[in-house]
Amino acid sequence: MRVRHKPWASDFIAEHSQYAIANPEQYKGKWNEVFGNNNPIHIEVGTGKGQFLTGMSVQNPDINYIGIELFDSVIVTALQKVVDLELPNMKLLNVNAKDLAEYFDENEIDRVYLNFSDPWPKPRHSKRRLTFKSFLALYEKILVKGGEIHFKTDNQGLFEFSLISFSEYGLQLKFLSLDLHNSDFEGNIMTEYEEKFSEKGQRIYRVEAKYMN
Ligand code: SAM
Protein backbone atom coordinates (compact mmCIF):
# COMPACT_ATOMS: atom_id res chain seq x y z
CA MET A 1 0.00 0.00 0.00
CA ARG A 2 1.28 3.50 -0.85
CA VAL A 3 1.40 5.56 2.33
CA ARG A 4 1.38 9.36 2.13
CA HIS A 5 3.53 10.97 4.82
CA LYS A 6 1.55 13.21 7.19
CA PRO A 7 3.93 15.20 9.38
CA TRP A 8 1.12 16.19 11.78
CA ALA A 9 0.02 12.59 12.45
CA SER A 10 2.26 11.90 15.45
CA ASP A 11 1.09 15.12 17.20
CA PHE A 12 -2.58 14.31 16.57
CA ILE A 13 -2.07 10.77 17.92
CA ALA A 14 -0.30 12.09 21.03
CA GLU A 15 -3.10 14.63 21.63
CA HIS A 16 -5.74 11.87 21.67
CA SER A 17 -4.12 9.33 23.96
CA GLN A 18 -7.50 8.32 25.44
CA TYR A 19 -8.18 6.60 22.07
CA ALA A 20 -4.73 6.01 20.56
CA ILE A 21 -2.98 4.21 23.37
CA ALA A 22 0.72 4.95 23.81
CA ASN A 23 2.98 2.26 25.32
CA PRO A 24 0.28 -0.44 25.09
CA GLU A 25 2.58 -3.07 26.67
CA GLN A 26 1.73 -1.56 30.07
CA TYR A 27 -1.90 -2.67 29.64
CA LYS A 28 -1.15 -6.32 28.84
CA GLY A 29 -3.71 -8.37 30.80
CA LYS A 30 -5.53 -5.15 31.84
CA TRP A 31 -7.52 -4.10 28.77
CA ASN A 32 -10.79 -4.59 30.64
CA GLU A 33 -9.59 -1.92 33.08
CA VAL A 34 -8.78 0.40 30.17
CA PHE A 35 -12.36 0.01 28.85
CA GLY A 36 -13.83 0.03 32.38
CA ASN A 37 -15.91 -3.14 31.86
CA ASN A 38 -15.62 -6.89 31.25
CA ASN A 39 -17.11 -6.92 27.75
CA PRO A 40 -15.50 -9.14 25.10
CA ILE A 41 -12.59 -7.64 23.18
CA HIS A 42 -12.31 -7.96 19.40
CA ILE A 43 -9.21 -6.75 17.55
CA GLU A 44 -8.73 -5.88 13.88
CA VAL A 45 -5.22 -6.42 12.55
CA GLY A 46 -4.41 -3.91 9.79
CA THR A 47 -7.25 -1.50 10.58
CA GLY A 48 -6.26 1.01 7.92
CA LYS A 49 -8.51 4.08 7.93
CA GLY A 50 -10.96 2.55 10.41
CA GLN A 51 -14.32 2.49 8.61
CA PHE A 52 -15.00 -1.17 9.51
CA LEU A 53 -14.04 -0.98 13.18
CA THR A 54 -15.77 2.33 13.89
CA GLY A 55 -18.90 0.91 12.22
CA MET A 56 -18.68 -2.23 14.36
CA SER A 57 -18.16 -0.14 17.52
CA VAL A 58 -21.32 1.87 16.82
CA GLN A 59 -23.31 -1.25 15.90
CA ASN A 60 -22.16 -3.27 18.97
CA PRO A 61 -21.73 -1.05 22.04
CA ASP A 62 -21.35 -4.11 24.32
CA ILE A 63 -18.18 -5.24 22.56
CA ASN A 64 -14.83 -3.51 22.94
CA TYR A 65 -12.75 -3.02 19.79
CA ILE A 66 -9.04 -2.44 19.33
CA GLY A 67 -7.59 -1.52 15.92
CA ILE A 68 -3.96 -2.44 15.20
CA GLU A 69 -2.24 -0.44 12.44
CA LEU A 70 1.41 -0.12 11.52
CA PHE A 71 1.46 3.33 9.90
CA ASP A 72 0.73 6.52 11.85
CA SER A 73 -0.21 8.35 8.63
CA VAL A 74 -2.99 5.75 8.09
CA ILE A 75 -4.21 5.19 11.65
CA VAL A 76 -4.60 8.95 12.08
CA THR A 77 -7.64 8.82 9.73
CA ALA A 78 -9.18 6.06 11.88
CA LEU A 79 -8.42 8.14 14.98
CA GLN A 80 -10.19 11.15 13.47
CA LYS A 81 -13.33 9.01 13.10
CA VAL A 82 -13.13 7.71 16.70
CA VAL A 83 -12.65 11.26 18.01
CA ASP A 84 -15.57 12.63 15.97
CA LEU A 85 -17.88 9.79 17.13
CA GLU A 86 -16.55 9.86 20.73
CA LEU A 87 -16.58 6.06 20.80
CA PRO A 88 -16.19 4.70 24.36
CA ASN A 89 -15.67 1.11 23.16
CA MET A 90 -12.85 1.60 20.69
CA LYS A 91 -9.08 2.05 21.03
CA LEU A 92 -6.28 2.17 18.47
CA LEU A 93 -2.70 0.87 18.67
CA ASN A 94 -0.06 2.20 16.27
CA VAL A 95 2.07 -0.97 16.44
CA ASN A 96 3.27 -3.93 14.37
CA ALA A 97 1.05 -7.02 14.60
CA LYS A 98 4.10 -9.29 14.88
CA ASP A 99 4.43 -8.04 18.47
CA LEU A 100 0.81 -8.73 19.53
CA ALA A 101 1.86 -11.00 22.40
CA GLU A 102 3.67 -8.04 24.00
CA TYR A 103 0.37 -6.16 24.26
CA PHE A 104 -2.18 -8.88 25.02
CA ASP A 105 -2.20 -11.68 27.57
CA GLU A 106 -3.31 -15.27 26.99
CA ASN A 107 -7.12 -15.56 26.67
CA GLU A 108 -7.53 -11.78 26.63
CA ILE A 109 -9.01 -11.45 23.12
CA ASP A 110 -12.27 -12.99 21.87
CA ARG A 111 -11.99 -12.45 18.12
CA VAL A 112 -9.50 -11.33 15.46
CA TYR A 113 -10.67 -9.55 12.30
CA LEU A 114 -8.45 -9.55 9.21
CA ASN A 115 -9.82 -7.38 6.41
CA PHE A 116 -8.15 -7.03 3.01
CA SER A 117 -4.74 -7.88 4.45
CA ASP A 118 -1.76 -7.14 2.20
CA PRO A 119 -1.53 -10.17 -0.15
CA TRP A 120 2.28 -10.41 -0.45
CA PRO A 121 1.88 -12.35 -3.74
CA LYS A 122 5.53 -13.42 -4.15
CA PRO A 123 6.11 -16.92 -2.68
CA ARG A 124 9.30 -15.73 -0.94
CA HIS A 125 7.16 -13.20 1.01
CA SER A 126 4.53 -15.72 2.15
CA LYS A 127 5.70 -15.50 5.80
CA ARG A 128 4.58 -11.86 5.82
CA ARG A 129 0.95 -12.75 5.09
CA LEU A 130 -1.19 -12.19 8.19
CA THR A 131 -2.68 -15.69 7.76
CA PHE A 132 0.74 -17.45 7.70
CA LYS A 133 1.07 -20.15 10.37
CA SER A 134 3.34 -18.03 12.61
CA PHE A 135 0.59 -15.37 12.78
CA LEU A 136 -2.04 -18.07 13.46
CA ALA A 137 0.13 -19.21 16.41
CA LEU A 138 0.34 -15.61 17.63
CA TYR A 139 -3.45 -15.13 17.48
CA GLU A 140 -3.95 -18.48 19.26
CA LYS A 141 -1.73 -17.25 22.09
CA ILE A 142 -3.90 -14.21 22.86
CA LEU A 143 -7.34 -15.62 21.96
CA VAL A 144 -9.76 -17.34 24.33
CA LYS A 145 -10.32 -21.07 23.81
CA GLY A 146 -12.57 -21.44 20.76
CA GLY A 147 -11.69 -17.91 19.63
CA GLU A 148 -12.24 -17.00 15.98
CA ILE A 149 -10.64 -15.21 13.05
CA HIS A 150 -13.06 -13.47 10.68
CA PHE A 151 -11.37 -12.86 7.34
CA LYS A 152 -12.43 -10.90 4.25
CA THR A 153 -10.47 -10.24 1.07
CA ASP A 154 -10.87 -9.51 -2.63
CA ASN A 155 -7.68 -11.44 -3.41
CA GLN A 156 -8.36 -14.98 -4.61
CA GLY A 157 -4.74 -16.08 -4.20
CA LEU A 158 -4.56 -14.85 -0.61
CA PHE A 159 -7.95 -16.41 0.14
CA GLU A 160 -6.87 -19.82 -1.19
CA PHE A 161 -3.56 -19.63 0.68
CA SER A 162 -5.41 -18.67 3.88
CA LEU A 163 -7.97 -21.49 3.64
CA ILE A 164 -5.10 -23.99 3.37
CA SER A 165 -3.17 -22.28 6.17
CA PHE A 166 -6.25 -22.30 8.47
CA SER A 167 -7.00 -25.96 7.65
CA GLU A 168 -3.41 -27.12 8.12
CA TYR A 169 -3.36 -25.34 11.48
CA GLY A 170 -6.47 -27.30 12.53
CA LEU A 171 -8.96 -24.43 12.51
CA GLN A 172 -12.62 -25.17 11.78
CA LEU A 173 -13.91 -23.21 8.80
CA LYS A 174 -17.44 -21.74 8.92
CA PHE A 175 -19.68 -19.55 6.77
CA LEU A 176 -17.38 -19.63 3.76
CA SER A 177 -18.56 -17.24 1.04
CA LEU A 178 -17.04 -16.87 -2.44
CA ASP A 179 -19.22 -13.82 -3.14
CA LEU A 180 -20.10 -12.04 0.09
CA HIS A 181 -22.10 -9.22 -1.47
CA ASN A 182 -24.38 -11.69 -3.25
CA SER A 183 -24.79 -13.98 -0.23
CA ASP A 184 -27.37 -14.01 2.58
CA PHE A 185 -24.82 -12.69 5.11
CA GLU A 186 -26.48 -9.92 7.13
CA GLY A 187 -24.98 -6.87 8.81
CA ASN A 188 -21.82 -6.63 6.71
CA ILE A 189 -19.87 -3.46 7.41
CA MET A 190 -17.66 -2.51 4.49
CA THR A 191 -14.05 -1.49 4.85
CA GLU A 192 -12.48 1.26 2.73
CA TYR A 193 -10.77 -1.36 0.52
CA GLU A 194 -13.96 -3.39 0.26
CA GLU A 195 -15.83 -0.36 -1.10
CA LYS A 196 -13.07 0.39 -3.58
CA PHE A 197 -12.76 -3.16 -4.92
CA SER A 198 -16.47 -3.99 -5.02
CA GLU A 199 -17.15 -0.75 -6.95
CA LYS A 200 -14.77 -2.16 -9.58
CA GLY A 201 -16.92 -5.31 -9.72
CA GLN A 202 -14.53 -7.55 -7.80
CA ARG A 203 -15.93 -10.38 -5.70
CA ILE A 204 -15.39 -10.39 -1.97
CA TYR A 205 -14.40 -13.63 -0.23
CA ARG A 206 -15.14 -14.25 3.44
CA VAL A 207 -14.61 -17.04 5.98
CA GLU A 208 -14.71 -17.56 9.76
CA ALA A 209 -12.02 -19.81 11.25
CA LYS A 210 -12.38 -21.18 14.78
CA TYR A 211 -9.62 -22.51 17.05
CA MET A 212 -10.69 -25.91 18.29
CA ASN A 213 -8.75 -26.23 21.58
N1 SAM B 1 -8.38 -3.22 6.61
C1 SAM B 1 -8.35 -2.01 5.83
C2 SAM B 1 -9.36 -2.05 4.73
O1 SAM B 1 -9.87 -3.15 4.43
O2 SAM B 1 -9.70 -0.98 4.19
C3 SAM B 1 -6.93 -1.74 5.28
C4 SAM B 1 -6.43 -2.73 4.27
S1 SAM B 1 -4.77 -2.38 3.75
C5 SAM B 1 -4.59 -3.30 2.29
C6 SAM B 1 -3.82 -3.32 4.91
C7 SAM B 1 -3.47 -2.54 6.16
O3 SAM B 1 -2.79 -3.41 7.06
C8 SAM B 1 -2.52 -1.38 5.89
O4 SAM B 1 -3.05 -0.20 6.48
C9 SAM B 1 -1.21 -1.80 6.54
O5 SAM B 1 -0.46 -0.71 7.03
C10 SAM B 1 -1.72 -2.70 7.66
N2 SAM B 1 -0.71 -3.69 8.10
C11 SAM B 1 -0.04 -4.54 7.31
N3 SAM B 1 0.80 -5.30 8.03
C12 SAM B 1 0.64 -4.92 9.31
C13 SAM B 1 1.24 -5.32 10.53
N4 SAM B 1 2.19 -6.27 10.56
N5 SAM B 1 0.84 -4.73 11.67
C14 SAM B 1 -0.11 -3.75 11.64
N6 SAM B 1 -0.71 -3.32 10.51
C15 SAM B 1 -0.35 -3.89 9.37
Side-chain angles (χ1 to χ4, degrees):
M1 184 175 75
R2 199 159 53 90
V3 179
R4 202 164 287 129
H5 182 57
K6 293 179 186 155
W8 48 273
S10 55
D11 286 347
F12 189 80
I13 289 168
E15 280 160 22
H16 295 93
S17 56
Q18 77 273 37
Y19 296 122
I21 308 294
N23 306 315
E25 57 281 352
Q26 64 187 309
Y27 301 111
K28 179 173 177 171
K30 300 178 190 159
W31 286 98
N32 286 341
E33 290 174 29
V34 173
F35 285 105
N37 59 52
N38 286 320
N39 291 341
I41 300 174
H42 296 183
I43 67 171
E44 183 187 20
V45 178
T47 293
K49 295 179 180 170
Q51 177 168 293
F52 173 80
L53 216 59
T54 52
M56 293 294 279
S57 300
V58 170
Q59 193 182 74
N60 306 296
D62 294 336
I63 295 173
N64 296 322
Y65 293 93
I66 302 177
I68 314 289
E69 171 53 51
L70 192 54
F71 291 110
D72 64 356
S73 49
V74 177
I75 205 171
V76 75
T77 305
L79 178 57
Q80 184 79 66
K81 294 182 173 96
V82 181
V83 170
D84 290 348
L85 292 163
E86 299 181 2
L87 292 171
N89 60 331
M90 184 166 160
K91 307 291 178 200
L92 291 164
L93 308 187
N94 183 198
V95 297
N96 192 326
K98 73 177 175 51
D99 303 321
L100 280 177
E102 288 179 24
Y103 313 123
F104 302 111
D105 217 343
E106 287 176 17
N107 300 312
E108 193 164 22
I109 301 303
D110 292 84
R111 185 177 296 171
V112 172
Y113 286 101
L114 299 174
N115 292 317
F116 299 83
S117 307
D118 295 324
W120 294 107
K122 291 184 182 151
R124 68 188 159 89
H125 290 151
S126 61
K127 288 183 184 164
R128 299 183 189 180
R129 297 173 192 151
L130 292 178
T131 51
F132 189 74
K133 62 185 172 195
S134 54
F135 278 103
L136 300 185
L138 195 50
Y139 307 145
E140 183 175 29
K141 211 168 170 187
I142 62 172
L143 277 168
V144 295
K145 305 265 172 286
E148 297 183 355
I149 300 170
H150 290 198
F151 177 55
K152 287 195 280 193
T153 182
D154 65 301
N155 189 295
Q156 187 181 347
L158 179 65
F159 194 64
E160 287 170 359
F161 169 87
S162 304
L163 292 180
I164 293 168
S165 185
F166 293 149
S167 298
E168 287 182 348
Y169 201 85
L171 300 184
Q172 183 191 38
L173 303 183
K174 301 188 299 176
F175 305 116
L176 193 154
S177 174
L178 300 180
D179 190 357
L180 177 65
H181 294 180
N182 289 305
S183 73
D184 53 10
F185 183 81
E186 286 177 13
N188 183 46
I189 291 184
M190 292 223 260
T191 79
E192 279 88 354
Y193 270 67
E194 185 170 358
E195 276 188 354
K196 196 168 81 177
F197 290 124
S198 56
E199 273 168 21
K200 288 182 186 165
Q202 280 178 237
R203 277 199 286 167
I204 306 301
Y205 304 92
R206 184 182 183 279
V207 72
E208 298 178 7
K210 184 181 173 73
Y211 289 87
M212 295 308 290
N213 44 14

